[in-house]
């Protein structure tokens, strides 16, 4: 891709999210989201393979549907309340439709089925942008919706934790595992949104940091499958030692940072007298922990069969520096 | 005036049925032209004459023309019109659906319940949306530029996707 087009697309990604963050009018928020969707399409097809084109098409369909639903919800809000202000969504039809539209945008269950297939067709860098940056703008809108009852958010959150954990259970492709991990974490974030929005932001920021690190470590060792992950331990030994910490942090084990949002969310749920929800969320996160543990087992804790030359890659000069490839 | 609006809205529903009943793209494009034309008429009747003009120029005269040329390139030897049974069945189904919807939801069916852009009774040149147009170019200047940027971005995206000979995404497949 020519540098001019590439920089136009990256700048438009930035403009889109900034526009949604800075907006109080629904049109402007929708415009920012559309800019994000459009700008990432060529980035996704960069590898010019049929799989990438298929992933891009699926992504475009899912995002276009969600954007159209968002626009419809905003227009019906203007019809009922006479205001285009984002903070004036009082009508049940409006905030339900908006919640569902944004849930489809970020990949919450039961609207999550596009996420693993789309992530599988992308390079790791584009998958990283999709998992982190593209979630910011819809999340900003979810944060500002003020529903009258927490039921929808809790249902979406719990379903996403279940779907993210159970769905990722049998995966061997790392990008699909990362997609399911994203679904589960977004479920935790949305679960607590009606009770304590700052906790949602804590969960989101820790998720961003952890998933960025994990994507990056996979990028550095250039692994996309558990098979290649298991023979990549000799490439960058320091990374081999540190990646289990990232994985266990994603799984939510103390004393790592990933435990903090889960702990506080469970505490807030019990304070709201929702102990059963808290127990279910914690139990279904065990599924996610299982596949994070499987990844650290494959990478660090065991040495799968390989010829002796497989112990030597660390002796070679790295093929690229650690800045983004 | 009411009679004209009635005819235009009837044309809108019939054109919608014509497009949705899945004929061959030739005929569906004709349905789209009819829908766009009478839709513009409805807009003029309720007071949005500038919007109607822009819709005619850009949608009908720009996008639909391009679509008609693309449909012509995808020519088929036996195009299916509205005389074939599958299409006619769908037409019947949709007309029944419209009747059911009228029965269930048709409270505000009459024209005086419509809130148009203004309350001028008659087809004058300056109607209700002229104030909005001037605002779009004055206070809404930044948003207009943002809209222009989005269109330019779409152009770059489409150009990048359809570059030929392996440098784009669609030809390589």
């Amino acid at each position: 891709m020519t540098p001019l087009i590439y920089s136009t697309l990256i700048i438009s990604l930035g403009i889109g999210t900034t526009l949604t963050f800075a907006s109080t009018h629904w049109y402007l928020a929708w415009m920012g989201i559309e800019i994000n969707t459009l700008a990432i399409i060529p980035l996704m097809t960069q590898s010019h393979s049929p799989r990438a084109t298929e992933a891009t098409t699926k992504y475009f369909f899912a995002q276009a549907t969600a954007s159209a639903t968002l626009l419809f919800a905003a227009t019906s809000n203007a019809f009922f309340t006479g205001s285009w202000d984002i903070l004036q969504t009082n009508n049940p039809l409006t905030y339900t439709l908006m919640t569902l539209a944004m849930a489809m945008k970020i990949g919450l269950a039961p609207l999550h089925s596009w996420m693993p297939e789309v992530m599988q067709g992308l390079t790791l860098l584009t998958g990283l942008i999709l998992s982190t940056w593209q979630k910011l703008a819809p999340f900003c809108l979810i944060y500002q919706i003020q529903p009258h009852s927490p039921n929808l958010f809790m249902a979406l959150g719990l379903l996403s934790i279940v779907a993210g954990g159970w769905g990722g259970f049998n995966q061997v492709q790392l990008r699909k595992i990362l997609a399911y991990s994203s679904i589960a974490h977004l479920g935790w974030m949305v679960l607590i949104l009606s009770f304590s929005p700052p906790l949602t932001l804590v969960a989101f920021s820790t998720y961003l940091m952890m998933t960025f690190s994990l994507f990056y470590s996979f990028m550095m060792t250039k692994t996309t499958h558990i098979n290649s992950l298991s023979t990549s331990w000799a490439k960058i030994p320091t990374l081999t030692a540190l990646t289990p910490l990232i994985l266990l942090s994603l799984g939510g084990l103390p004393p790592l940072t990933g435990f903090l949002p889960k702990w506080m969310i469970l505490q807030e749920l019990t304070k709201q007298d929702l102990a059963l929800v808290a127990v279910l969320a914690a139990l279904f996160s065990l599924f996610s922990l299982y596949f994070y543990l499987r990844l650290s087992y494959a990478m660090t804790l065991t040495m799968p069969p390989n010829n002796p030359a497989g112990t030597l890659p660390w002796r070679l000069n790295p093929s690229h520096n650690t800045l983004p490839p | 005036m009411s009679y004209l609006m009635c005819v235009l809205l009837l044309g809108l529903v019939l054109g919608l049925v014509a497009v949705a009943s899945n004929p061959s793209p030739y005929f569906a494009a004709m349905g789209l032209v009819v829908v766009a034309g009478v839709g513009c008429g409805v807009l003029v009747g309720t007071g949005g004459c500038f919007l109607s003009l822009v819709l005619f120029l850009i949608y009908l005269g720009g996008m639909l023309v391009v679509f008609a040329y693309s449909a012509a390139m995808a020519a088929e030897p036996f195009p299916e019109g509205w005389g074939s049974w599958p299409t006619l069945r769908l037409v019947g189904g949709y007309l029944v659906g419209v009747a059911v919807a009228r029965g269930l939801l048709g409270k505000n069916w009459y024209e005086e319940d419509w809130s148009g852009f203004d309350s001028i009774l008659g087809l004058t040149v300056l109607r209700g949306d002229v104030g909005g147009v001037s605002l779009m170019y004055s206070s809404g200047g930044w948003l207009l530029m943002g809209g222009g940027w989005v269109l330019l971005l779409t152009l770059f995206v489409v150009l990048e996707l359809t570059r030929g000979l392996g440098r784009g995404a669609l030809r390589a497949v």
Side-chain angles (χ1 to χ4, degrees):
Chain A
M1 201 182 287
T2 57
L4 182 63
I5 299 278
Y6 197 66
S7 42
T8 308
L9 296 171
I10 301 283
I11 288 176
S12 296
L13 273 181
I15 287 178
T17 306
T18 312
L19 214 54
T20 306
F21 268 74
S23 64
T24 49
H25 194 285
W26 273 113
Y27 262 172
L28 209 59
W30 172 79
M31 202 164 100
I33 286 189
E34 286 292 298
I35 291 177
N36 264 2
T37 307
L38 279 174
I40 204 174
I41 298 287
L43 294 176
M44 289 167 76
T45 56
Q46 246 180 326
S47 44
H48 301 320
S49 64
R51 186 65 183 87
T53 311
E54 177 192 336
T56 312
T57 316
K58 284 181 188 165
Y59 181 74
F60 186 72
F61 277 139
Q63 302 288 305
T65 312
S67 290
T69 314
L70 175 68
L71 198 58
F72 176 62
T75 315
S76 55
N77 186 41
F79 182 70
F80 287 125
T81 64
S83 162
W84 285 98
D85 205 340
I86 290 183
L87 294 170
Q88 294 284 335
T89 56
N90 296 326
N91 196 12
L93 169 74
T94 304
Y95 57 70
T96 311
L97 265 182
M98 279 168 185
T99 309
L100 289 175
M102 292 298 101
M104 189 163 185
K105 275 248 169 232
I106 59 179
L108 283 173
L111 305 157
H112 65 288
S113 38
W114 58 271
M115 182 85 148
E117 298 160 9
V118 167
M119 290 277 285
Q120 179 59 27
L122 306 176
T123 54
L124 281 167
L125 182 63
T126 319
L128 170 65
I129 299 178
L130 208 83
S131 291
T132 52
W133 187 258
Q134 295 288 79
K135 308 253 184 280
L136 283 176
F139 218 83
C140 165
L141 293 179
I142 285 182
Y143 192 80
Q144 292 176 304
I145 296 171
Q146 292 152 353
H148 288 168
S149 81
N151 294 339
L152 183 60
F153 278 132
M154 279 199 337
L156 286 172
L158 213 49
L159 269 175
S160 301
I161 300 173
V162 173
W166 218 335
F169 207 71
N170 204 26
Q171 302 294 336
V172 291
Q173 293 281 351
L174 294 182
R175 287 166 289 184
K176 282 204 171 115
I177 286 182
L178 285 164
Y180 282 109
S181 120
S182 158
I183 294 171
H185 276 96
L186 287 166
W188 276 97
M189 288 173 220
V190 158
L191 184 65
I192 200 64
L193 186 57
S194 348
F195 304 116
S196 172
L199 282 183
T200 305
L201 292 181
V202 166
F204 194 56
S205 40
T206 51
Y207 162 72
L208 280 184
M209 286 188 284
M210 295 184 292
T211 204
F212 188 86
S213 328
L214 195 60
F215 262 104
Y216 224 80
S217 58
F218 291 155
M219 266 195 267
M220 281 206 274
T221 49
K222 291 197 172 60
T223 53
T224 53
H225 196 280
I226 289 189
N227 289 346
S228 44
L229 189 68
S230 52
T231 50
S232 71
W233 61 271
K235 287 186 190 173
I236 308 174
T238 324
L239 196 63
T240 309
L242 292 177
T243 308
L245 295 178
I246 307 174
L247 285 163
L248 294 177
S249 185
L250 272 169
L253 288 188
L256 304 166
T257 310
F259 177 60
L260 177 70
K262 290 197 164 65
W263 179 21
M264 304 191 74
I265 289 174
L266 291 174
Q267 184 179 27
E268 185 62 35
L269 283 173
T270 47
K271 277 192 212 162
Q272 298 280 343
D273 214 12
L274 291 165
L276 179 63
V277 173
V279 164
L280 284 175
L283 282 180
F284 279 106
S285 297
L286 285 178
F287 283 133
S288 316
L289 181 64
Y290 179 82
F291 58 75
Y292 295 132
L293 269 175
R294 178 197 274 152
L295 289 181
S296 25
Y297 181 82
M299 188 176 189
T300 311
L301 303 176
T302 54
M303 241 174 76
N306 203 358
N307 49 26
T311 60
L312 296 174
W314 60 273
R315 286 194 180 273
L316 305 170
N317 281 330
S319 57
H320 60 84
N321 51 22
T322 47
L323 284 174
Chain B
M1 186 55 200
S2 288
Y3 187 68
L4 181 65
M5 286 292 282
C6 215
V7 168
L8 291 175
L9 287 169
L10 186 68
L12 197 71
V13 171
L14 288 180
L16 173 67
V17 166
V19 173
S21 57
N22 243 348
S24 158
Y26 283 156
F27 305 111
M30 198 198 81
L32 282 178
V33 167
V34 166
V35 167
V38 297
C40 289
V42 168
L43 271 177
V44 167
T46 53
C49 51
F50 184 79
L51 187 59
S52 165
L53 182 69
V54 169
L55 194 71
F56 235 105
L57 279 172
I58 307 301
Y59 182 72
L60 248 186
M63 297 196 265
L64 259 185
V65 164
V66 172
F67 177 68
Y69 278 125
S70 319
M73 280 173 58
E76 42 191 12
F78 302 104
E80 190 183 80
W82 297 290
S84 70
W85 277 113
T87 318
L88 258 184
R89 252 182 256 139
L90 276 174
V91 166
Y94 285 127
L95 287 176
V96 165
V98 165
V100 165
R102 157 67 178 111
L104 289 175
L105 305 166
K107 276 188 316 189
N108 294 335
W109 188 257
Y110 304 100
E111 196 186 337
E112 54 258 25
D113 294 318
W114 277 43
S115 60
F117 287 84
D118 54 22
S119 49
I120 298 175
L121 301 168
L123 301 172
T124 59
V125 172
L126 296 175
R127 296 289 295 277
D129 68 344
V130 173
V133 171
S134 61
L135 271 182
M136 180 173 77
Y137 286 105
S138 62
S139 341
W142 289 109
L143 201 59
L144 194 62
M145 279 193 250
W149 172 257
V150 179
L151 290 173
L152 190 66
L153 176 69
T154 316
L155 175 68
F156 284 145
V157 163
V158 172
L159 279 177
E160 186 56 40
L161 284 176
T162 53
R163 262 184 226 269
L165 298 174
R167 289 195 307 277
L170 295 176
R171 278 294 291 273
V173 178

